[in-house]
């Protein structure tokens, strides 16, 4: 066996052990070492060279990145999630003819979809969706994300919030929590357009807050343009930003005059 | 297993965000390989990569890699400026020799950028800091070109970037230095727009030339001439003349002839005066002067042989030294001074034009008969046409045969009739004075001559001596001083201007200025033009003085004369003239704006400068005055003459303008820039204009067409024949209006100009602009206001001849091939007498003598010629010339005629020409010299003056028949008087 590969597998074993111990700091350290080691394998994307150990190297690399993705969920780091997921993706899309499919593939893809939903990146969500085969869409992990998105789009926010109970995988819980916040943002955006003002109580109910304090803190942080007066929330300010456009009359006059002059001069 | 390809760069982009450095590096280097395919994906992450490039923590290599990556992405995005600045950041990673679109594009961009920076630095004189990295890339590129042997590319780039050091390196390291040098000269003339920079380049070239083991003196002297460095030319000439080798002397003569061809009188005089006199003879230092002194004496003594005598004197003075090598040198010096003064070439040209004259008097006769008696415009047009047709041939048969008819010319018509003699006798330096004597103002005697013919005669003298007025200046000055008649002043001013063209003589200037300040309209106009002629191309501040006066005076004529004069002073100054041009073109007075157009035309003559063209086009469509618009379009012709193919394209739209003035301008612009080329596009553009609805547009188009078609035979373009018939039809048509009739008459004159042996040429063979010719055409185009200026066109005529000369500057018998069908370049067939008119004995009838008789006469002539050679020396009395000239004339006529006789046989594919021969410009590329010939040309030139090296000097030389008469001028014709 290739010494490098051995080294990587040993390191990976230690990583898995630490992962099981939930010693996430060690995990992160080991992971970054692993990633550096992986750059030395020429069989990995984007080179995909045919080395004798290609399949084994690819498998272990995929495994490492899958773990990295899960780890990023555990440590609640969305950026790391995105980074690792993108590095993992070529193993699913481009190396699928070299490797047997991974059991983790669909859960991770589902997680990614969920992440996009949380970050309200609907366009990318659909792009990802288009890339999946019809078989994949049947998978419960994917299906869950798709249904969530549908409810989200319909505005059936209660269904979204209740879906937390039916997660197909325990890693999903983190994102489901985040989703509640995304839903609140959506509602806030809609109310802003729909109402001139709302009473504090209605607003609290609508935005799913339990106390006035939470509401005012939310307003202060995310919507400083809202105003709280007479125990009502006013959205007026936000609407003022549509000034009537002035007609550039002077410019138009000048232009017309110069046309007239040019016409006179035509050869 | 199928090879696996990545479908996205997303993974690598994600890796860029990793915190570990080696991961980033890994990602960068992979992305760099993928960028050609995945640049759209990468482009969204450009800010991230940019931040990597700016990250101080990174080591150099990584940052450069990032820069290279960003540069590539920007390249694909079409942001070349950003791409270039990052490529510079990439340092050595940007591989100049890589063969990819990216590298090619960026290199081009880099060179452009560098060139524009350098140009800006040179122009604004303040230091512009050039990015050293940019410089490094350009240098790497240049070095690579040189190493790869792409010298032309390297030279072009080096010139563009103002890197003369690299240019020198490219030239000296090339394998064919002569070739590269001449290429470089070509490039610097055609593509270097800035005059000063061009001079720098040329100076460098001269330096390189001089370093060569066997310098190409011909080219060096050309360069030096552009640089206006007479010392250099003089020292080279002297070196060659002092050489023991006869060939070197031949080369020196050849150089002198080539320089003369460029018509830079002031320069030539400078060179001549700088040639050292033979050592043992200190008294010969005044040798350059005797001619002047002689002619000054002449002014009082008057006599045809005065000048010849003084020439003889100076020759005898020179031949005194004892030392044989000095004697040799002195002898050669006399010859070269003769050449440099232009006298030798003028004499040979005159001889050629006289002997080969093939003008068709029947055409003139037809014109004369069809023109109405009382119509003075057409009457004088006929006189103009005659003068142009016989320009430089000294044949005034037509005038002498029609004295009665001629006498109908009165007043100004008389002026131009007399001046016409000057055109006919153009270059007849020795006898010009005596020829014109009957018409010249008779000092003191209060002669009965009309002021018009006297003024005309002075103008004629100027035309005869145009650009070579050493001998006549003094006389013209005296005449100017001693008269207060404005007509005579007019003629004298024009004459003086012509004779001292471009000499910038202060005294003459002052005298003409005095005439100007008399504020007489007629004299003032001529004075204005004359001052311009005197100061041509000097760019002197006299222009401001003239401009001030133009603002003061009330006379439009004077303003116009001055405007043109000012324009003439900035001839060829390019950017230096910009202030003056700006001043003129913004003037309130349309006449001065009109002068501004001429200034633009002349300052940027033949440069095809984009800025000038843009300005002219702007004025052509936006000025309120028709005159200015017309001139602006016309001026395009001058700016573009070095690139005639362009003109028809540029003015084609203008030629369809609703404004007849613009159409007229377009016609003349094409006529000027395409003169003598017979360019098909030009003819196509002019054709519809010749039947325009407006009379003066027709006139302009006819004249322009004649200029384009001069010396083009019907065989090479059938439209020439059509045009000739159209002219005839217009002239004969009773209902045609005067303007176009005049145009047609002039056009017939121009079409057969100079006995059908000249063409209009604004560029010499070395691509130098011929100052006299350009000035001549510029003033000629003024005929719109003042008909006598038509004669200025004769300055633009240059003979189309191959004249081979031996060491003694005589034409030896020498034959060469024209490898084309003779009919392509033959003279047009003489017109036949219409059957209805009674048969008149015509001078052309000489041509119809039977071939046999001709052959016999020719033989006799040759024998005679042979016999003559031995005795051919200065002692040959001019008295013998009288009897000879008539027989010679026949001989020549027949010699030329012989190809026509062969008509019935199937046409041969080549033709043997005998020195001196007519070689039209289109024919030049077919000229071949024979291998086994006795003479070898010093320079392989298909036309012009060519020195011949004698390979068998021991054998007796045979002079060609017509060359014999070089020493013996044809006798001046008998003076005739106006009967009225």
């Amino acid at each position: 066996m290739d010494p490098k590969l051995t080294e990587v597998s040993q390191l990976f074993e230690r990583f898995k052990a630490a992962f099981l111990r939930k010693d996430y700091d060690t995990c992160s350290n080991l992971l970054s070492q692993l990633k550096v080691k992986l750059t030395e394998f020429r069989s990995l994307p984007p080179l995909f060279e045919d080395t004798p150990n290609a399949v084994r190297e690819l498998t272990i690399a995929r495994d490492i990145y899958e773990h990295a993705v899960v780890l990023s969920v555990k440590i609640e780091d969305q950026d790391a999630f995105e980074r690792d997921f993108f590095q993992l993706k070529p193993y699913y899309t481009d190396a699928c003819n070299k490797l047997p499919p991974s059991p983790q593939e669909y859960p991770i893809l589902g997680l990614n979809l969920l992440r996009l939903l949380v970050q309200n990146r609907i366009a990318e969500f659909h792009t990802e969706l288009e890339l999946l085969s019809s078989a994949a869409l049947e998978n419960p992990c994917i299906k869950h994300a798709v249904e969530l998105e549908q409810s989200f789009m319909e505005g059936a926010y209660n269904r979204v919030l209740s879906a937390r109970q039916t997660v197909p995988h325990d890693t999903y819980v983190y994102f489901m929590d985040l989703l509640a916040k995304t839903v609140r943002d959506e509602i806030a955006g809609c109310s802003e357009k729909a109402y001139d003002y709302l009473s504090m109580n209605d607003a609290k109910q609508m935005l799913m807050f339990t106390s006035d304090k939470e509401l005012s803190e939310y307003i202060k942080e995310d919507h400083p343009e809202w105003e709280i007066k007479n125990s009502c929330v006013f959205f007026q300010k936000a609407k003022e930003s549509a000034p009537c456009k002035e007609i550039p009359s002077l410019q138009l006059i000048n232009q017309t005059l110069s046309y007239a002059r040019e016409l006179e001069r035509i050869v | 297993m199928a090879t696996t390809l990545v479908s996205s760069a997303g993974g690598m982009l994600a890796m860029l965000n990793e915190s570990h450095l080696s991961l980033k590096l890994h990602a960068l280097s992979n992305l760099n390989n993928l960028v050609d395919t995945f640049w759209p994906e990468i482009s969204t992450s450009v800010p991230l990569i940019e931040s990597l490039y700016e990250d101080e923590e990174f080591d150099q290599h990584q940052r450069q890699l990032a820069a290279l990556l960003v540069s590539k992405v920007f390249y694909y995005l079409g942001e070349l400026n950003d791409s270039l600045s990052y490529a510079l950041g990439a340092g050595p990673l940007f591989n100049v020799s890589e063969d990819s679109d990216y590298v090619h594009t960026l290199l081009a961009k880099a060179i452009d950028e560098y060139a524009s920076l350098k140009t800006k630095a040179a122009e604004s004189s303040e230091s512009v800091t050039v990015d050293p990295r940019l410089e490094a890339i350009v240098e790497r590129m240049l070095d690579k070109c040189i190493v790869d042997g792409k010298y032309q590319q390297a030279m072009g780039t080096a010139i563009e970037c103002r890197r003369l050091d690299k240019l020198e390196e490219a030239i000296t390291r090339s394998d064919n230095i002569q070739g590269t040098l001449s290429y470089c000269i070509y490039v610097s003339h055609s593509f270097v727009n800035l005059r000063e920079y061009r001079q720098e380049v040329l100076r460098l070239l001269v330096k390189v030339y001089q370093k060569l083991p066997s310098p190409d003196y011909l080219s060096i002297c050309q360069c030096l001439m552009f640089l206006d460095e007479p010392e250099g030319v003089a020292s080279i000439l002297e070196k060659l003349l002092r050489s023991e080798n006869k060939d070197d002397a031949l080369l020196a003569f050849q150089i002198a002839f080539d320089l003369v061809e460029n018509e830079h009188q002031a320069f030539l005089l400078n060179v001549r005066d700088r040639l050292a006199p033979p050592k043992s003879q200190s008294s010969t230092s005044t040798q350059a002067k005797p001619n002047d002194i002689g002619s000054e004496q002449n002014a009082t003594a008057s006599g045809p042989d005065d000048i010849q005598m003084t020439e003889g004197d100076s020759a005898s003075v020179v031949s005194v030294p004892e030392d044989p090598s000095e004697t040799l040198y002195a002898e050669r010096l006399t010859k070269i001074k003769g050449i440099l003064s232009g006298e030798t070439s003028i004499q040979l040209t005159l001889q050629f034009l006289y002997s080969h004259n093939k003008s068709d008097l029947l055409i003139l006769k037809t014109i004369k008969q069809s023109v109405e008696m009382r119509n003075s415009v057409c009457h004088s047009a006929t006189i103009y046409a005659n003068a142009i047709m016989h320009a430089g041939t000294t044949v005034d048969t037509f005038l002498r045969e029609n004295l009665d008819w001629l006498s109908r010319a009165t007043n100004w018509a008389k002026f131009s009739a007399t001046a016409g003699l000057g055109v006919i006798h153009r270059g007849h330096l020795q006898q010009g004075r005596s020829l014109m004597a009957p018409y010249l103002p008779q000092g003191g005697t209060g002669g009965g001559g009309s002021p018009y013919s006297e003024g005309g005669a002075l103008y004629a003298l100027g035309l005869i001596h145009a650009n070579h007025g050493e001998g006549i200046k003094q006389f013209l000055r005296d005449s100017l001083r001693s008269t207060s008649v404005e007509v005579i002043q007019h003629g004298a001013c024009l004459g003086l201007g012509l004779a001292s063209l471009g000499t910038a003589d202060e005294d003459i200037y002052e005298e003409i200025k005095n005439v100007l300040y008399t504020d007489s309209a007629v004299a003032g106009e001529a004075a204005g033009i004359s001052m311009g002629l005197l100061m041509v191309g000097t760019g002197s501040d006299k222009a401001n003085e003239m401009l001030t006066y133009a603002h003061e005076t009330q006379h439009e004529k004077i303003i116009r004369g001055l405007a043109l004069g000012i324009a003439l002073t900035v001839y060829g100054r390019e950017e230096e003239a910009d202030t003056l041009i700006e001043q003129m073109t913004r003037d309130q007075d349309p006449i001065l704006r009109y002068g501004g157009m001429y200034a633009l035309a002349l300052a940027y003559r033949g440069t095809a400068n984009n800025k000038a063209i843009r300005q002219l086009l702007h004025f052509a469509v936006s000025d309120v005055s028709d005159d200015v618009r017309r001139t602006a379009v016309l001026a395009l012709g001058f700016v573009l003459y070095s690139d005639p193919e362009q003109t028809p394209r540029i003015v084609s739209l203008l030629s369809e303008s609703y404004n007849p003035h613009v159409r007229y301008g377009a016609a003349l612009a094409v006529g000027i820039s395409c003169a003598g080329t017979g360019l098909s596009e030009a003819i196509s553009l002019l054709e519809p204009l010749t039947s325009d609805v407006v009379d003066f547009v027709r006139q302009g188009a006819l004249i322009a067409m004649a200029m384009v078609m001069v010396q083009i035979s019907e065989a090479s373009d059938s439209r020439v024949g059509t045009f000739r018939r159209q002219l005839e039809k217009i002239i004969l048509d009773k209902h045609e209006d005067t303007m176009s009739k005049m145009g047609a008459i002039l056009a017939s004159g121009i079409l057969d100009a100079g006995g059908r042996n000249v063409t209009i040429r604004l560029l010499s063979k070395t691509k130098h602009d011929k100052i006299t010719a350009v000035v001549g055409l510029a003033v000629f185009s003024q005929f719109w206001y003042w008909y006598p200026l038509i004669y200025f066109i004769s300055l633009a005529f240059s003979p189309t001849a191959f004249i081979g000369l031996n060491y003694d500057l005589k034409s030896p018998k020498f034959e060469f091939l024209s490898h084309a069908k003779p009919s392509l370049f033959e003279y047009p067939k003489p017109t036949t007498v219409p059957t209805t008119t009674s048969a008149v004995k015509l001078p052309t009838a000489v041509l119809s003598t039977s071939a046999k008789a001709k052959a016999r006469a020719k033989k006799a002539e040759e024998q005679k010629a042979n016999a003559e050679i031995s005795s051919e020396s200065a002692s040959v009395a001019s008295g013998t010339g009288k009897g000879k000239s008539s027989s010679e004339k026949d001989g020549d006529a027949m010699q030329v005629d012989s190809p026509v006789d062969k008509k019935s046989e199937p046409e041969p594919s080549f033709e043997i020409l005998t020195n001196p021969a007519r070689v039209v410009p289109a024919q030049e590329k077919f000229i071949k010299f024979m291998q086994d010939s006795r003479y070898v040309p010093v320079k392989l030139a298909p036309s012009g003056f060519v020195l011949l090296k004698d390979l068998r000097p021991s054998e007796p030389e045979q002079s060609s028949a017509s060359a014999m008469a070089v020493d013996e001028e044809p006798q001046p014709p008998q003076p005739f008087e106006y009967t009225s």
Side-chain angles (χ1 to χ4, degrees), chain B residues 5-55:
Chain B
L5 293 172
V6 259
S7 58
S8 153
M12 288 298 125
L13 287 173
M15 202 183 267
L16 280 178
N17 284 319
E18 294 282 358
S19 50
H20 204 286
L21 286 187
S22 65
L23 285 178
K24 290 185 183 183
L25 179 61
H26 178 73
L28 275 181
S29 59
N30 277 317
L31 282 174
N32 193 32
N33 295 329
L34 295 173
V35 69
D36 295 334
T37 337
F38 293 111
W39 60 269
E41 263 183 276
I42 300 173
S43 66
T44 52
S45 308
V46 161
L48 175 67
I49 310 173
E50 280 175 337
S51 68
L52 289 181
Y53 164 61
E54 279 149 20
D55 193 341

Side-chain angles (χ1 to χ4, degrees), chain A residues 32-33 35-41 45-48 50 55 65 80 82-90 93-99 264-267, chain B residues 1-8 10-20 22-23 26 30 33-34 618 620-622 629 653-654 656-659 662:
Chain A
S32 90
Q33 285 176 40
K35 281 181 179 171
V36 175
K37 296 265 185 250
L38 285 180
T39 59
E40 287 163 24
F41 294 138
L47 299 170
F48 288 123
D50 263 332
V55 176
Y65 278 115
E82 187 175 354
R83 219 159 50 221
D84 293 326
F85 175 76
F86 272 115
Q87 290 177 61
L88 173 61
K89 215 178 152 202
T93 53
D94 304 333
C96 56
N97 50 359
K98 286 190 178 179
L99 294 178
E264 294 240 303
R265 281 181 184 172
I266 283 179
V267 186
Chain B
M1 202 184 282
T3 46
T4 319
L5 293 172
V6 259
S7 58
S8 153
M12 288 298 125
L13 287 173
M15 202 183 267
L16 280 178
N17 284 319
E18 294 282 358
S19 50
H20 204 286
S22 65
L23 285 178
H26 178 73
N30 277 317
N33 295 329
L34 295 173
H618 174 75
V621 295
S622 67
R629 297 174 71 162
L653 206 66
L654 294 168
E656 290 161 19
S657 162
Y658 76 93
N659 184 329
V662 173

Side-chain angles (χ1 to χ4, degrees), chain B residues 759-925:
Chain B
T759 185
I760 298 173
R761 215 194 302 227
L762 297 176
L763 282 176
S764 69
K765 278 184 272 308
T766 47
K767 299 287 173 215
H768 191 270
D769 37 76
K770 300 176 83 165
I771 183 163
T772 327
V774 179
V775 168
L777 274 192
V779 185
F780 162 74
S781 59
Q782 290 277 302
F783 75 87
W784 176 277
Y785 299 102
W786 193 232
Y787 288 153
L789 296 179
I790 286 173
Y791 288 135
F792 270 82
I793 199 178
S794 68
L795 302 188
F797 292 153
S798 66
T800 49
F802 174 94
I803 301 180
L805 298 169
N806 60 11
Y807 176 69
D808 300 318
L809 302 185
K810 305 268 187 300
S811 311
K813 196 167 159 49
F814 172 68
E815 289 185 332
F816 55 99
L817 276 181
S818 160
H819 213 81
K821 286 183 182 172
S823 73
L824 269 181
F825 306 114
E826 72 187 2
Y827 292 102
K829 281 179 223 80
T831 44
T832 46
V833 188
T835 43
T836 46
T837 51
S838 58
V840 188
K841 177 72 178 155
L842 292 163
T844 42
V846 145
L847 300 177
S848 60
T849 37
S850 75
K852 217 172 188 181
K854 276 179 212 159
R856 220 183 303 129
K858 188 177 177 181
K859 213 170 180 181
E861 181 62 35
E862 267 166 24
Q863 280 169 354
K864 198 176 173 187
N866 294 347
E868 208 85 22
I869 315 162
S870 50
S871 61
E872 180 190 296
S873 68
S875 65
V876 169
S878 54
T880 55
K882 200 168 190 174
K884 260 185 53 123
S885 60
S886 59
S887 66
E888 233 166 56
K889 201 168 167 185
D890 295 2
D892 291 331
M894 280 167 294
Q895 193 191 336
V896 176
D897 205 16
S898 44
V900 183
D901 289 333
K902 289 178 200 154
K903 276 261 92 161
S904 53
E905 301 162 23
E907 197 177 11
S909 63
F910 65 92
E911 184 180 19
I912 291 176
L913 300 172
T914 318
N915 177 39
R918 174 192 196 245
V919 177
V920 301
Q923 195 175 3
E924 285 174 6
K925 53 179 177 288

Side-chain angles (χ1 to χ4, degrees), chain A residues 2-51:
Chain A
D2 187 31
K4 271 197 231 163
L5 191 57
T6 327
E7 203 188 330
V8 170
S9 5
Q10 280 164 3
L11 212 54
F12 187 41
E13 289 307 321
R14 279 169 59 197
F15 170 80
K16 278 200 269 195
F19 190 70
L20 285 177
R21 283 202 311 275
K22 304 206 172 179
D23 180 0
Y24 295 136
D25 285 344
T26 326
C27 280
S28 301
N29 271 335
L30 287 171
L31 183 62
S32 90
Q33 285 176 40
L34 276 170
K35 281 181 179 171
V36 175
K37 296 265 185 250
L38 285 180
T39 59
E40 287 163 24
F41 294 138
R42 303 191 61 78
S43 60
L44 301 187
L47 299 170
F48 288 123
E49 276 178 24
D50 263 332
T51 52

Side-chain angles (χ1 to χ4, degrees), chain B residues 629-643:
Chain B
R629 297 174 71 162
R630 184 184 66 234
T631 322
V633 184
L634 188 151
L636 283 172
F638 285 102
V639 178
L640 288 167
Y641 66 70
S642 60
D643 200 0

Side-chain angles (χ1 to χ4, degrees), chain B residues 308-526:
Chain B
Q308 279 165 333
M309 242 172 63
T310 52
E311 271 186 352
D313 284 348
S314 61
S316 65
V317 170
V318 173
S319 62
V320 173
E322 319 79 30
D323 182 10
S325 72
E326 282 301 307
T327 328
L328 190 66
Y329 174 67
E331 180 210 331
R332 289 172 177 175
L333 194 64
T334 326
K335 278 185 198 159
I336 205 151
K337 286 194 170 176
I339 300 173
L340 284 175
S341 68
E343 279 161 27
T344 314
S345 56
I346 288 176
Q347 211 170 36
L348 289 166
T349 305
L350 189 68
Q351 191 50 50
F352 168 80
L353 289 179
Y354 171 65
S355 60
H356 284 65
N357 176 27
K358 288 279 284 179
S359 59
D360 191 344
L361 285 181
L362 192 61
I363 294 179
L364 277 174
K365 197 170 148 55
T366 323
I367 295 173
K368 192 196 102 188
Q369 281 170 347
S370 60
V371 163
E372 246 183 280
M373 294 292 185
R374 280 179 304 277
N375 191 335
S376 70
V377 173
C378 291
H379 183 269
S380 17
T382 316
I383 297 173
Y384 292 129
N386 168 54
I388 293 170
M389 243 185 227
H390 292 101
T393 61
T394 73
V395 175
D396 51 12
T397 331
F398 178 76
L399 293 180
R400 272 184 289 134
E401 281 178 358
N402 297 294
L403 285 179
D404 239 11
W405 171 83
L406 191 61
S407 67
R408 249 180 246 119
T410 49
N411 297 340
W412 283 109
K414 196 175 208 168
F415 177 89
S416 33
T418 322
L421 284 173
V423 176
I424 295 177
H425 292 283
R426 169 147 199 258
H428 213 151
L429 298 188
Q430 271 85 354
Q431 289 162 2
R433 275 289 301 287
S434 55
L435 273 169
M436 299 311 298
Y439 317 107
L440 287 171
Q442 309 294 325
T445 57
S450 114
Y452 290 101
S453 69
E454 290 178 359
L458 291 170
Y459 179 24
L461 277 182
L463 288 165
I464 292 176
H465 293 267
N467 206 12
H468 296 282
E470 285 295 273
I472 201 74
K473 265 197 294 206
Q474 192 55 41
F475 173 74
L476 286 169
R477 282 173 71 178
D478 292 341
S479 312
L480 180 64
R481 221 176 297 141
S482 61
T483 184
S484 54
V485 186
E486 57 177 11
V487 181
I488 301 182
Q489 281 177 334
H490 183 90
C493 280
L494 286 179
L496 203 47
L498 279 166
S500 44
L501 191 77
T503 51
D505 188 319
E506 286 289 331
D507 299 337
I508 301 181
Y509 178 81
E510 286 305 318
E511 267 169 52
I512 299 177
K513 201 166 79 182
N514 288 338
V515 176
L516 179 73
Y517 285 163
T518 59
D519 207 36
S520 126
V522 174
E525 181 183 33

